[in-house]
Amino acid sequence: MFVFETQNYPTSPGVYLMKGPRGKILYVGKAKNLRARLGSYFRGDAGHTVKTAALVARVEAVEVLLTASEKEALLLESSLIKKYRPRYNVVLKDDKNYILFKLDKRSPFPRLAFTRRVVRDGAAYFGPFTSAAAARATWKELGRVFPLRKCGDRAMANRVRPCLYHFIGQCLAPCVKAVDAEAYMALVRRVEAFLTGRSAEVIKNVEKEMAEAAEALAFEKAAGLRDLLKAMRRTVEGQATVLTRLVDMDVAGFAATAQGVGLCILFVRQGRLLDRKTFFFPGLEAGEAVWAAGSALTQFYRPESFIPPRVVVPEALAPEAGGDAAGADESPDDGGGEGQGDAQALAEILEERRGAAVRFGAPRGREERKLLALAEVNARRAAEEAAKAAERDVLPSLAAKFGLPLLSRIEAVDVSHLGGRGVRVGLVVFEDGAPKKRDYRAYAFPELEGTSDDYLALASFAAKRAATGPPWPELLLIDGGKGQLEAVARALDAAGAGGAFALAAIAKGDTRAQNEMHDVVHVPGRKNPLALRPGSPELLFLQRVRDAVHEFSIGRQRRARNKAGLASDVLASPGVGPKTAKLLWEAFGSVAAMKAAGAAEIAARTGLGPKRAVSIATVLSQLPD
């Protein structure tokens, strides 16, 4: 049990890290007066919420990091939360930057490209889009309307003839000087006008062109223009007009429910509601809603994010608020007005990250108040829907089966090789029941070539995983039986990570029903498998995780094998060096696909010149099947 001694902590601003068993970080917080803030946790009857009381009961040590100001403390807190993802903090599970359109007007022939990072480079950015599929569909429709180049700068510089997009009317072919720069920039200005809300004039011009085509009896062209009009209206006019002013702003609203706190951020661009993003933080009480929303916004607006000039938040989150505000802690207030200071610090951080002024505060005027109410309605709905899904979620039941307090992050591992060649150990990650593909990893062990030793491969993986460190999973699932489980457990103990997380192995067992083998789950220290009924939701979920890692590890092993075969076949060909082989590999993936492509397709997909492509196609045709 942690004993708080007042004299050990300063009264200056900073960040504190509450640690539990084995030094695991349970919570990261900040304060302008560390002594007062920490004292509020550990005095007698502090009136804590259930969540805070559970946290305090598990604390074994507290480490503090001093900062020069509240703003620095807020920045450091956000950085540490992202790094350690503590169990008792509000952590954005979906913390990626969203897709934006980028129009770099510094180029003599700009193109409309995708990006997830905003850089102060003079380019124009449009978005964001929370759905990558919706962004790509919009980009495709815009490409049909506005024939800007699609290829990158490198491909354009190496082209000697137009690509396919030019021949289907979706590119003006600046690569071969088929259009002069002035005419091209006129088209760029039309694209910018369309994306900045002046779509009516563009649509009007297309309508006029369609009418002229119909009068000239060019019905095929008129029909194509008609389809383009429909696409544009789906893309732009389908967005609700919510402001009479053509301004960009984000509107963040939150709602507390019996199940937790919901947060919704509306993206308004040029007076139109472009998109929205919702978050849900389960298990929080109404008194923690302001703290949760403030902490989430601090993590949401990162340096590479698109930040509009206006961000509307409820009064409780605004810098001018009289009470608690953004980032206020859920523990009893220390009387220092920390919440209000955090909101002002967040406003300053947004301005620094945007590189220009940001009006961060409560709604002004009827239109902004209506938008905030809409955001709050969406936040409440998101919380209610997430709560219903959680009721059906198998994770709490599965956690109880393993004797764990919770089961949020699951990692699964499997070994794949072909007769001992191309050894790959695949690792997949599930968070809150869903795959987290950006955390998938494939480990290569060239020193194990020819061994066919799965136990040794898993032990080698365990040593690497222990060295990687947090975030730890609550459970590591191994595709295998008791032998594989023991190999991983011994390796983790040897690496000093034994007990950092629970272990389990899933394999075909002795249980038979209707002449079929069923999967069983083994855990360390238990002779018999866990009592998981065949066909139960818990076992089906574990099988889904096992199947995901099995497919991933086999795919990576095949990919490595194909790449090795490609390297040996293609690099052995005269006139093909490593760079060219890499281009061919990325474009086709196999020798058979290259040989079937021919010179024209090789040139189109790699950006190589036609003579070079013909030479390579000739070399490839001479390779054995």
Side-chain angles (χ1 to χ4, degrees):
M1 178 66 181
F2 176 72
V3 178
F4 176 74
E5 297 182 2
T6 304
Q7 67 275 12
N8 292 340
Y9 298 94
T11 58
S12 55
V15 172
Y16 54 91
L17 296 86
M18 293 183 171
K19 299 182 177 181
R22 299 184 298 276
K24 183 174 182 179
I25 296 176
L26 304 175
Y27 182 76
V28 175
K30 42 89 188 65
K32 74 175 182 180
N33 184 330
L34 285 167
R35 181 181 298 174
R37 170 59 68 196
L38 290 171
S40 70
Y41 281 100
F42 300 103
R43 60 178 176 239
D45 183 12
H48 293 317
T49 64
V50 174
K51 170 176 168 291
T52 306
L55 165 65
V56 172
R58 297 193 62 189
V59 174
E60 295 186 359
V62 176
E63 178 183 344
V64 298
L65 301 172
L66 303 184
T67 61
S69 65
E70 291 178 75
K71 185 175 76 172
E72 289 185 12
L74 186 61
L75 285 169
L76 181 57
E77 178 200 41
S78 179
S79 175
L80 292 174
I81 289 174
K82 181 180 178 183
K83 178 179 180 180
Y84 294 111
R85 307 182 78 82
R87 179 172 298 178
Y88 289 91
N89 279 97
V90 165
V91 181
L92 293 192
K93 302 297 183 183
D94 179 15
D95 60 355
K96 66 178 181 297
N97 284 324
Y98 304 115
I99 286 184
L100 299 157
F101 291 151
K102 177 179 180 179
L103 192 62
D104 189 352
K105 294 181 289 185
R106 297 175 303 172
S107 169
F109 297 103
R111 69 184 182 119
L112 195 62
F114 293 109
T115 185
R116 290 185 184 271
R117 298 175 61 88
V118 174
V119 182
R120 300 177 193 174
D121 56 0
Y125 294 88
F126 309 95
F129 297 88
T130 59
S131 167
R136 294 187 185 280
T138 301
W139 179 85
K140 184 177 179 180
E141 296 298 344
L142 290 172
R144 295 174 63 194
V145 181
F146 306 108
L148 298 181
R149 68 178 172 100
K150 310 297 188 297
C151 58
D153 293 340
R154 179 178 176 181
M156 178 181 170
N158 290 322
R159 286 198 181 279
V160 294
R161 64 178 181 179
C163 65
L164 179 62
Y165 281 112
H166 174 69
F167 294 108
I168 62 175
Q170 294 186 25
C171 178
L172 296 179
C175 54
V176 293
K177 310 300 181 184
V179 60
D180 61 76
E182 185 177 348
Y184 191 91
M185 289 306 296
L187 179 63
V188 170
R189 287 190 290 272
R190 289 183 64 186
V191 174
E192 192 171 10
F194 188 87
L195 291 172
T196 53
R198 302 197 304 275
S199 57
E201 62 184 72
V202 180
I203 290 175
K204 185 177 179 181
N205 290 336
V206 175
E207 288 176 337
K208 181 180 178 182
E209 188 179 349
M210 181 182 67
E212 291 174 350
E215 289 179 3
L217 303 182
F219 298 118
E220 185 175 349
K221 180 180 179 181
L225 292 170
R226 176 202 61 201
D227 294 340
L228 290 177
L229 280 172
K230 289 181 180 179
M232 284 190 294
R233 285 168 178 153
R234 283 198 307 269
T235 303
V236 179
E237 292 189 341
Q239 300 162 3
T241 301
V242 292
L243 292 175
T244 55
R245 298 162 291 142
L246 298 180
V247 296
D248 295 345
M249 69 169 61
D250 286 355
V251 182
F254 64 87
T257 68
Q259 296 79 18
V261 175
L263 173 68
C264 175
I265 303 175
L266 303 178
F267 306 124
V268 179
R269 300 295 180 262
Q270 293 300 303
R272 295 179 182 272
L273 182 55
L274 177 67
D275 208 340
R276 67 170 186 172
K277 183 63 182 177
T278 57
F279 301 93
F280 175 60
F281 310 110
L284 298 183
E285 300 178 12
E288 300 169 310
V290 174
W291 159 75
S295 180
L297 289 177
T298 306
Q299 298 173 56
F300 183 80
Y301 291 110
R302 296 185 290 171
E304 62 273 22
S305 301
F306 179 86
I307 302 175
R310 172 75 167 132
V311 178
V312 177
V313 294
E315 290 186 4
L317 284 166
E320 61 269 22
D324 288 346
D329 201 286
E330 77 274 24
S331 61
D333 192 83
D334 61 5
E338 181 177 324
Q340 187 173 351
D342 289 341
Q344 184 59 47
L346 177 55
E348 295 173 6
I349 290 169
L350 292 183
E351 289 198 352
E352 288 182 3
R353 291 178 174 176
R354 182 172 183 262
V358 176
R359 292 172 54 229
F360 177 84
R364 298 179 180 177
R366 182 176 62 87
E367 290 182 332
E368 290 189 0
R369 286 194 294 271
K370 287 178 64 177
L371 279 171
L372 180 59
L374 178 63
E376 290 170 347
V377 167
N378 278 273
R380 183 173 300 278
R381 182 177 179 183
E384 292 170 349
E385 290 180 350
K388 290 178 182 177
E391 291 174 358
R392 303 187 299 268
D393 200 338
V394 72
L395 293 180
S397 174
L398 196 55
K401 294 286 186 182
F402 285 104
L404 299 172
L406 60 82
L407 194 54
S408 174
R409 182 181 175 97
I410 299 174
E411 296 181 2
V413 61
D414 185 28
V415 179
S416 180
H417 56 81
L418 184 64
R421 295 176 54 226
V423 179
R424 290 294 183 275
V425 177
L427 176 75
V428 305
V429 178
F430 277 61
E431 274 200 358
D432 296 330
K436 190 178 182 183
K437 293 189 176 181
R438 69 176 183 177
D439 283 1
Y440 283 19
R441 296 291 184 271
Y443 296 83
F445 297 98
E447 68 275 15
L448 302 181
E449 288 294 309
T451 62
S452 298
D453 191 337
D454 288 2
Y455 295 168
L456 182 57
L458 286 170
S460 301
F461 154 78
K464 281 193 174 183
R465 181 63 187 90
T468 303
W472 298 119
E474 280 81 31
L475 174 68
L476 176 64
L477 182 68
I478 303 155
D479 186 2
K482 289 184 177 180
Q484 286 86 348
L485 179 64
E486 292 174 2
V488 172
R490 287 196 301 268
L492 288 174
D493 288 340
F501 42 84
L503 298 176
I506 182 170
K508 296 295 181 185
D510 297 329
T511 304
R512 291 181 179 268
Q514 297 180 351
N515 296 321
E516 291 183 359
M517 295 284 286
H518 288 285
D519 286 316
V520 295
V521 177
H522 298 282
V523 295
R526 180 183 174 117
K527 180 179 179 181
N528 297 320
L530 282 182
L532 295 175
R533 176 178 53 84
S536 66
E538 295 86 355
L539 185 56
L540 288 173
F541 176 78
L542 292 178
Q543 288 169 334
R544 177 189 168 204
V545 176
R546 186 270 315 278
D547 292 344
V549 71
H550 185 68
E551 181 180 351
F552 176 70
S553 60
I554 288 179
R556 284 307 178 97
Q557 198 275 334
R558 286 175 178 168
R559 180 176 173 182
R561 192 169 70 243
N562 290 340
K563 189 172 183 179
L566 176 69
S568 61
D569 289 339
V570 177
L571 283 174
S573 303
V576 179
K579 292 184 178 179
T580 303
K582 182 180 180 182
L583 284 174
L584 292 168
W585 162 253
E586 291 175 348
F588 297 96
S590 70
V591 176
M594 293 179 204
K595 294 175 69 174
E601 189 174 354
I602 289 174
R605 295 178 63 175
T606 63
L608 297 170
K611 292 183 179 180
R612 181 77 169 138
V614 169
S615 174
I616 290 174
T618 302
V619 169
L620 292 172
S621 66
Q622 298 171 358
L623 293 176
D625 292 329

